[in-house]
Structure formats: C-alpha cells, structure tokens
Amino acid sequence: ASDNPWLLNHQSTSKDTSSGSKSAEEDFVYVDLHLNPERYTGYKGEHANRIWKAIYSQSCFHGLRESSTGMMAGSFPGLLLPNNDRDNQFVCKEKEVFYRLISGIHTSITAHIAAMHPKEICGGNQNVLQSKARAKPDLSPFGSNSKGFDPLSSSSGDEDCTLDERHWGPNLNLFYDRLGKQQHKARVENLYFTYLFTLQAALKAAPYLNHADYSTDHEDDDVVTKTLVISLLNNERVSKMCTKAFDEGKLWQKGIDVQITQEEMQLHFQNISQIMNCVGCEKCKLWGKLQISGLGTALKILFNVGDISQLVLRRNEVISLFNLLSRLSESLHTVSTFLCTLISQGYHDVIVPSSPCNM
C-alpha cells in the first residue's frame, strides 16, 4: 500500500500531485529548489528555539542526551542513557535510532546554514576567527536546554556584529561553535548515521525506484535523472558500503510491546512533522518538511515493507527521499571541508575528519 504510517494522513492522500486532479494541483505552490537553496535566512532566536524544543521534548526522547554524568553507554555509539533505563534496553534501542535520525537532520540543517551565510562584520573587523576560536566552549547538547535548541545560537557573546547580505559564503565560527568541537562529535556521527540509514532505504527500494516515473515534461532532464538514479542504486561500491551499515531486522521484532512502541514512534514522528508547520519562515518550513517527509519515507521502506515487491511510493515520497539523500550527502562533504579548514587555520579541539585533509 502507498499509505505511510509515519506521515500525517493529509500528507499522503488525495492532495498528492500524483492524483493529477485539477483541485489537487491548485492546492500546491511549485517552488524551484535551485532558486531557493537551503541556507541562512535570519530565522533564529526565541521562536526557532521553541520549534527545536518542541521536537526534542517528545516523550520518546526523555533521558536521551549526547553527554551527561551518571549515564551508561547506549546500544549505538554517540548516545548515553540514564542508568535507570537499563531494564528497558530493548525499547531504548528503537528510541535511540529515532533520536539519532532527528539529531542527524538537525546537524545537516546546521551545516547548510553555516556553509551559506552572509559575511559577518564584527566591531568593524571582518576577520575575527582566531580570537573567537579560543572563546569559552559551548557544552550544551542538542535537546539539553533552551540554548541548545537553536542551530544558530553562539557562545561567543559578540553582540556588535552585522551581516553583509551582498556577500555569502562559509561561516567558520558558526560551524565551529555548533558542530566542529570535539564535544559535538556525536552530532556529526548522527549525521553519518542518518545518511547511511537513508541510503540503505533507497537501496532496499531499488527494484521500485529503478522503474519509477521521473517525468517532469523536460525530456532531456528526465533521461538524465533516470540514468543517475539507476547508476546510484546499482553501484556495487555503494551497495557494499551499506551492507553492514544498519540492520533493521534487529528492531521492531514480533511482540505486542514492540507494536505499541512502533505506533508510539510513528505518532511522535507525525507530531514532529506537524511542528514543522509552525516554523515562521517559509523557506525554512519548505526544507524542513521536505526532509522530514524524506525521512518518513525511509522509515516506511525499512520498517513497514516486508515484501519489497509490494512497495508502492507516491511521487512526493520519491521526491522527498532523493532530496533528503542529496541534502545529507552534501552536508557530509560540507562537514569534512569545514573540519579541514578549521584544522588548517589553527582552531583548537577540532573533530578529526573521517578522511585525510588535502592541505
């Protein structure tokens, strides 16, 4: 069936563009994503904090943190659990996966904002990178307190900075403060986890995606798109990379409690999707909902389709899945580039990149 239990009903019913009806078409505004890239928009502060706080305040995330005292190692790297959750480890395994996926999306969004940012001019000096690099570190994890929710918050304390929107480029300070330090290593690990999770879903769905309809009324573009999709999904190197990336069979095993847990996770994911409707920036909402929809599609493929030959995806699910994969892939490249740049410029306590830097 094409219904997706991870997404709200109205996101996958008659309003889907695949229906082809005139009324459905009139309900949508078509946006060229190339003309509206994911980047800094100025949306930050208290309202943005409330959005992230609402997301991380989902009850399924209770107790999950990147780091804290009196915690024990979780089932996956990068997360710690309260000691009193030891007796409920099976359920926590599913919740850890859910937390890591949301954290990975958060990290990706932050990386894109840092990569495409107006030039900062602070105190009349456009080059304050080295002095900021030695500022007091920000120890707050995603989801730990009000300050930790905002991907644009900074611990530098400089209030006399202005933004020159005539010149755009990478913001090293922002990246260093939110993702580049050693204490934020779990955030980067969660980005890799989310990327591999999404890629594995795409590979599992290859028999369907290889023959999906990619028509856009631009014949040349359609041929290129089809060729790229087949090239990706049938790439032997990519397939081998994902073979051991994530074993979805270890989760949601048979049992009444497991069924209840999955339904709970689906409800929380729907809540997160609904929260995205409250984002007060249209471009931010567009990219946020697109990526959450892509993640919901990946969850459906991995956890709700036993026989892949029975898989049915709506057009919007296919679009969101590939867009999420593109966003995550670009974020990984961005993170690697930023980390190498920080190291070359003498920043302290920087995460070591997964691949060697070519300085």
mmCIF file of all heavy atoms in Angstrom, residues 282-311:
data_model
loop_
_atom_site.group_PDB
_atom_site.id
_atom_site.type_symbol
_atom_site.label_atom_id
_atom_site.label_comp_id
_atom_site.label_asym_id
_atom_site.label_seq_id
_atom_site.Cartn_x
_atom_site.Cartn_y
_atom_site.Cartn_z
ATOM 1 N N GLU A 282 9.075 30.676 5.689
ATOM 2 C CA GLU A 282 8.547 29.809 4.639
ATOM 3 C C GLU A 282 9.625 28.941 4.008
ATOM 4 O O GLU A 282 9.403 27.756 3.732
ATOM 5 C CB GLU A 282 7.843 30.656 3.566
ATOM 6 C CG GLU A 282 6.532 31.251 4.021
ATOM 7 C CD GLU A 282 5.530 30.186 4.470
ATOM 8 O OE1 GLU A 282 5.358 29.179 3.749
ATOM 9 O OE2 GLU A 282 4.929 30.358 5.547
ATOM 10 N N LYS A 283 10.800 29.500 3.770
ATOM 11 C CA LYS A 283 11.869 28.709 3.161
ATOM 12 C C LYS A 283 12.353 27.636 4.138
ATOM 13 O O LYS A 283 12.609 26.493 3.740
ATOM 14 C CB LYS A 283 13.038 29.599 2.744
ATOM 15 C CG LYS A 283 14.138 28.844 1.998
ATOM 16 C CD LYS A 283 15.301 29.767 1.631
ATOM 17 C CE LYS A 283 14.916 30.747 0.561
ATOM 18 N NZ LYS A 283 16.096 31.524 0.078
ATOM 19 N N CYS A 284 12.462 27.984 5.415
ATOM 20 C CA CYS A 284 12.863 27.007 6.436
ATOM 21 C C CYS A 284 11.832 25.892 6.536
ATOM 22 O O CYS A 284 12.166 24.709 6.656
ATOM 23 C CB CYS A 284 13.028 27.682 7.789
ATOM 24 S SG CYS A 284 14.092 29.146 7.799
ATOM 25 N N LYS A 285 10.551 26.275 6.494
ATOM 26 C CA LYS A 285 9.481 25.292 6.559
ATOM 27 C C LYS A 285 9.531 24.364 5.349
ATOM 28 O O LYS A 285 9.350 23.149 5.480
ATOM 29 C CB LYS A 285 8.130 26.001 6.615
ATOM 30 C CG LYS A 285 6.934 25.069 6.768
ATOM 31 C CD LYS A 285 5.621 25.820 6.599
ATOM 32 C CE LYS A 285 5.444 26.887 7.642
ATOM 33 N NZ LYS A 285 4.124 27.557 7.515
ATOM 34 N N LEU A 286 9.775 24.934 4.175
ATOM 35 C CA LEU A 286 9.858 24.132 2.954
ATOM 36 C C LEU A 286 10.919 23.049 3.075
ATOM 37 O O LEU A 286 10.645 21.857 2.870
ATOM 38 C CB LEU A 286 10.183 25.051 1.767
ATOM 39 C CG LEU A 286 10.616 24.361 0.470
ATOM 40 C CD1 LEU A 286 9.441 23.613 -0.137
ATOM 41 C CD2 LEU A 286 11.171 25.379 -0.525
ATOM 42 N N TRP A 287 12.142 23.446 3.440
ATOM 43 C CA TRP A 287 13.237 22.480 3.521
ATOM 44 C C TRP A 287 13.047 21.516 4.699
ATOM 45 O O TRP A 287 13.357 20.328 4.597
ATOM 46 C CB TRP A 287 14.579 23.208 3.640
ATOM 47 C CG TRP A 287 15.048 23.743 2.333
ATOM 48 C CD1 TRP A 287 15.085 25.056 1.931
ATOM 49 C CD2 TRP A 287 15.548 22.984 1.223
ATOM 50 N NE1 TRP A 287 15.574 25.159 0.663
ATOM 51 C CE2 TRP A 287 15.871 23.907 0.195
ATOM 52 C CE3 TRP A 287 15.753 21.637 0.988
ATOM 53 C CZ2 TRP A 287 16.387 23.496 -1.031
ATOM 54 C CZ3 TRP A 287 16.266 21.227 -0.229
ATOM 55 C CH2 TRP A 287 16.575 22.158 -1.225
ATOM 56 N N GLY A 288 12.519 22.018 5.803
ATOM 57 C CA GLY A 288 12.291 21.157 6.961
ATOM 58 C C GLY A 288 11.270 20.074 6.679
ATOM 59 O O GLY A 288 11.500 18.889 6.958
ATOM 60 N N LYS A 289 10.125 20.447 6.097
ATOM 61 C CA LYS A 289 9.082 19.473 5.816
ATOM 62 C C LYS A 289 9.513 18.495 4.723
ATOM 63 O O LYS A 289 9.168 17.306 4.764
ATOM 64 C CB LYS A 289 7.787 20.192 5.409
ATOM 65 C CG LYS A 289 7.107 20.914 6.565
ATOM 66 C CD LYS A 289 5.804 21.555 6.144
ATOM 67 C CE LYS A 289 4.737 20.534 5.836
ATOM 68 N NZ LYS A 289 4.316 19.761 7.030
ATOM 69 N N LEU A 290 10.272 18.989 3.738
ATOM 70 C CA LEU A 290 10.754 18.108 2.678
ATOM 71 C C LEU A 290 11.651 17.014 3.243
ATOM 72 O O LEU A 290 11.527 15.835 2.886
ATOM 73 C CB LEU A 290 11.514 18.930 1.635
ATOM 74 C CG LEU A 290 12.074 18.173 0.429
ATOM 75 C CD1 LEU A 290 10.943 17.594 -0.411
ATOM 76 C CD2 LEU A 290 12.947 19.095 -0.430
ATOM 77 N N GLN A 291 12.547 17.391 4.158
ATOM 78 C CA GLN A 291 13.473 16.417 4.710
ATOM 79 C C GLN A 291 12.799 15.480 5.709
ATOM 80 O O GLN A 291 13.122 14.285 5.773
ATOM 81 C CB GLN A 291 14.661 17.152 5.348
ATOM 82 C CG GLN A 291 15.523 17.848 4.305
ATOM 83 C CD GLN A 291 16.620 18.710 4.900
ATOM 84 O OE1 GLN A 291 17.638 18.206 5.351
ATOM 85 N NE2 GLN A 291 16.407 20.027 4.896
ATOM 86 N N ILE A 292 11.858 15.985 6.489
ATOM 87 C CA ILE A 292 11.107 15.115 7.394
ATOM 88 C C ILE A 292 10.274 14.119 6.594
ATOM 89 O O ILE A 292 10.166 12.931 6.953
ATOM 90 C CB ILE A 292 10.205 15.954 8.324
ATOM 91 C CG1 ILE A 292 11.064 16.706 9.347
ATOM 92 C CG2 ILE A 292 9.193 15.077 9.041
ATOM 93 C CD1 ILE A 292 11.840 15.810 10.292
ATOM 94 N N SER A 293 9.696 14.569 5.485
ATOM 95 C CA SER A 293 8.944 13.669 4.621
ATOM 96 C C SER A 293 9.857 12.596 4.036
ATOM 97 O O SER A 293 9.483 11.418 3.942
ATOM 98 C CB SER A 293 8.269 14.460 3.492
ATOM 99 O OG SER A 293 7.583 13.600 2.611
ATOM 100 N N GLY A 294 11.076 12.987 3.645
ATOM 101 C CA GLY A 294 12.036 12.018 3.124
ATOM 102 C C GLY A 294 12.417 10.987 4.163
ATOM 103 O O GLY A 294 12.532 9.791 3.866
ATOM 104 N N LEU A 295 12.598 11.444 5.402
ATOM 105 C CA LEU A 295 12.943 10.519 6.485
ATOM 106 C C LEU A 295 11.767 9.584 6.783
ATOM 107 O O LEU A 295 11.957 8.388 7.038
ATOM 108 C CB LEU A 295 13.326 11.304 7.737
ATOM 109 C CG LEU A 295 13.835 10.487 8.927
ATOM 110 C CD1 LEU A 295 15.012 9.607 8.525
ATOM 111 C CD2 LEU A 295 14.236 11.412 10.071
ATOM 112 N N GLY A 296 10.545 10.112 6.733
ATOM 113 C CA GLY A 296 9.370 9.273 6.931
ATOM 114 C C GLY A 296 9.260 8.201 5.850
ATOM 115 O O GLY A 296 8.857 7.065 6.125
ATOM 116 N N THR A 297 9.657 8.553 4.630
ATOM 117 C CA THR A 297 9.654 7.574 3.539
ATOM 118 C C THR A 297 10.690 6.486 3.783
ATOM 119 O O THR A 297 10.435 5.295 3.563
ATOM 120 C CB THR A 297 9.936 8.282 2.198
ATOM 121 O OG1 THR A 297 8.958 9.306 1.980
ATOM 122 C CG2 THR A 297 9.890 7.293 1.047
ATOM 123 N N ALA A 298 11.880 6.876 4.255
ATOM 124 C CA ALA A 298 12.927 5.900 4.569
ATOM 125 C C ALA A 298 12.475 4.959 5.682
ATOM 126 O O ALA A 298 12.711 3.740 5.630
ATOM 127 C CB ALA A 298 14.212 6.620 4.967
ATOM 128 N N LEU A 299 11.814 5.499 6.702
ATOM 129 C CA LEU A 299 11.304 4.677 7.803
ATOM 130 C C LEU A 299 10.268 3.676 7.300
ATOM 131 O O LEU A 299 10.249 2.508 7.704
ATOM 132 C CB LEU A 299 10.696 5.577 8.880
ATOM 133 C CG LEU A 299 11.695 6.374 9.732
ATOM 134 C CD1 LEU A 299 10.985 7.520 10.452
ATOM 135 C CD2 LEU A 299 12.394 5.472 10.736
ATOM 136 N N LYS A 300 9.406 4.139 6.420
ATOM 137 C CA LYS A 300 8.388 3.254 5.841
ATOM 138 C C LYS A 300 9.038 2.097 5.092
ATOM 139 O O LYS A 300 8.645 0.930 5.254
ATOM 140 C CB LYS A 300 7.493 4.064 4.905
ATOM 141 C CG LYS A 300 6.581 3.232 4.016
ATOM 142 C CD LYS A 300 5.844 4.120 3.026
ATOM 143 C CE LYS A 300 5.080 3.292 1.994
ATOM 144 N NZ LYS A 300 4.317 4.145 1.054
ATOM 145 N N ILE A 301 10.045 2.396 4.265
ATOM 146 C CA ILE A 301 10.698 1.372 3.447
ATOM 147 C C ILE A 301 11.385 0.332 4.327
ATOM 148 O O ILE A 301 11.278 -0.880 4.094
ATOM 149 C CB ILE A 301 11.719 2.019 2.491
ATOM 150 C CG1 ILE A 301 10.994 2.890 1.453
ATOM 151 C CG2 ILE A 301 12.568 0.962 1.804
ATOM 152 C CD1 ILE A 301 11.918 3.768 0.632
ATOM 153 N N LEU A 302 12.094 0.785 5.351
ATOM 154 C CA LEU A 302 12.885 -0.131 6.172
ATOM 155 C C LEU A 302 12.063 -0.897 7.197
ATOM 156 O O LEU A 302 12.378 -2.042 7.534
ATOM 157 C CB LEU A 302 14.000 0.635 6.886
ATOM 158 C CG LEU A 302 15.141 1.153 5.986
ATOM 159 C CD1 LEU A 302 16.157 1.938 6.808
ATOM 160 C CD2 LEU A 302 15.841 -0.001 5.265
ATOM 161 N N PHE A 303 10.997 -0.285 7.720
ATOM 162 C CA PHE A 303 10.295 -0.889 8.850
ATOM 163 C C PHE A 303 8.872 -1.350 8.558
ATOM 164 O O PHE A 303 8.281 -2.047 9.378
ATOM 165 C CB PHE A 303 10.254 0.096 10.021
ATOM 166 C CG PHE A 303 11.609 0.426 10.587
ATOM 167 C CD1 PHE A 303 11.901 1.713 10.996
ATOM 168 C CD2 PHE A 303 12.588 -0.546 10.701
ATOM 169 C CE1 PHE A 303 13.159 2.023 11.524
ATOM 170 C CE2 PHE A 303 13.843 -0.251 11.223
ATOM 171 C CZ PHE A 303 14.121 1.033 11.638
ATOM 172 N N ASN A 304 8.294 -0.960 7.434
ATOM 173 C CA ASN A 304 6.890 -1.269 7.204
ATOM 174 C C ASN A 304 6.632 -2.014 5.898
ATOM 175 O O ASN A 304 5.480 -2.164 5.503
ATOM 176 C CB ASN A 304 6.043 0.014 7.245
ATOM 177 C CG ASN A 304 6.074 0.695 8.588
ATOM 178 O OD1 ASN A 304 6.821 1.649 8.794
ATOM 179 N ND2 ASN A 304 5.285 0.208 9.533
ATOM 180 N N VAL A 305 7.688 -2.429 5.228
ATOM 181 C CA VAL A 305 7.533 -3.175 3.978
ATOM 182 C C VAL A 305 8.296 -4.489 4.103
ATOM 183 O O VAL A 305 9.536 -4.502 4.054
ATOM 184 C CB VAL A 305 8.049 -2.364 2.767
ATOM 185 C CG1 VAL A 305 7.882 -3.180 1.489
ATOM 186 C CG2 VAL A 305 7.312 -1.034 2.658
ATOM 187 N N GLY A 306 7.564 -5.592 4.285
ATOM 188 C CA GLY A 306 8.218 -6.881 4.384
ATOM 189 C C GLY A 306 8.637 -7.406 3.027
ATOM 190 O O GLY A 306 9.789 -7.796 2.807
ATOM 191 N N ASP A 307 7.715 -7.394 2.083
ATOM 192 C CA ASP A 307 7.969 -7.855 0.719
ATOM 193 C C ASP A 307 8.174 -6.631 -0.163
ATOM 194 O O ASP A 307 7.224 -5.898 -0.452
ATOM 195 C CB ASP A 307 6.790 -8.686 0.229
ATOM 196 C CG ASP A 307 7.013 -9.271 -1.164
ATOM 197 O OD1 ASP A 307 8.062 -8.976 -1.774
ATOM 198 O OD2 ASP A 307 6.122 -10.005 -1.641
ATOM 199 N N ILE A 308 9.412 -6.400 -0.597
ATOM 200 C CA ILE A 308 9.725 -5.189 -1.348
ATOM 201 C C ILE A 308 8.982 -5.130 -2.672
ATOM 202 O O ILE A 308 8.757 -4.053 -3.231
ATOM 203 C CB ILE A 308 11.261 -5.076 -1.575
ATOM 204 C CG1 ILE A 308 11.637 -3.609 -1.886
ATOM 205 C CG2 ILE A 308 11.717 -6.010 -2.663
ATOM 206 C CD1 ILE A 308 11.364 -2.650 -0.768
ATOM 207 N N SER A 309 8.548 -6.286 -3.177
ATOM 208 C CA SER A 309 7.800 -6.292 -4.434
ATOM 209 C C SER A 309 6.420 -5.665 -4.272
ATOM 210 O O SER A 309 5.760 -5.309 -5.255
ATOM 211 C CB SER A 309 7.655 -7.726 -4.970
ATOM 212 O OG SER A 309 6.863 -8.512 -4.097
ATOM 213 N N GLN A 310 5.980 -5.524 -3.013
ATOM 214 C CA GLN A 310 4.681 -4.908 -2.736
ATOM 215 C C GLN A 310 4.795 -3.411 -2.417
ATOM 216 O O GLN A 310 3.798 -2.755 -2.139
ATOM 217 C CB GLN A 310 4.022 -5.612 -1.546
ATOM 218 C CG GLN A 310 3.783 -7.099 -1.761
ATOM 219 C CD GLN A 310 2.882 -7.372 -2.947
ATOM 220 O OE1 GLN A 310 1.818 -6.756 -3.083
ATOM 221 N NE2 GLN A 310 3.309 -8.283 -3.812
ATOM 222 N N LEU A 311 6.015 -2.883 -2.478
ATOM 223 C CA LEU A 311 6.225 -1.471 -2.147
ATOM 224 C C LEU A 311 5.556 -0.560 -3.179
ATOM 225 O O LEU A 311 5.689 -0.770 -4.384
ATOM 226 C CB LEU A 311 7.730 -1.159 -2.109
ATOM 227 C CG LEU A 311 8.109 0.318 -1.925
ATOM 228 C CD1 LEU A 311 7.678 0.822 -0.557
ATOM 229 C CD2 LEU A 311 9.613 0.516 -2.110
#
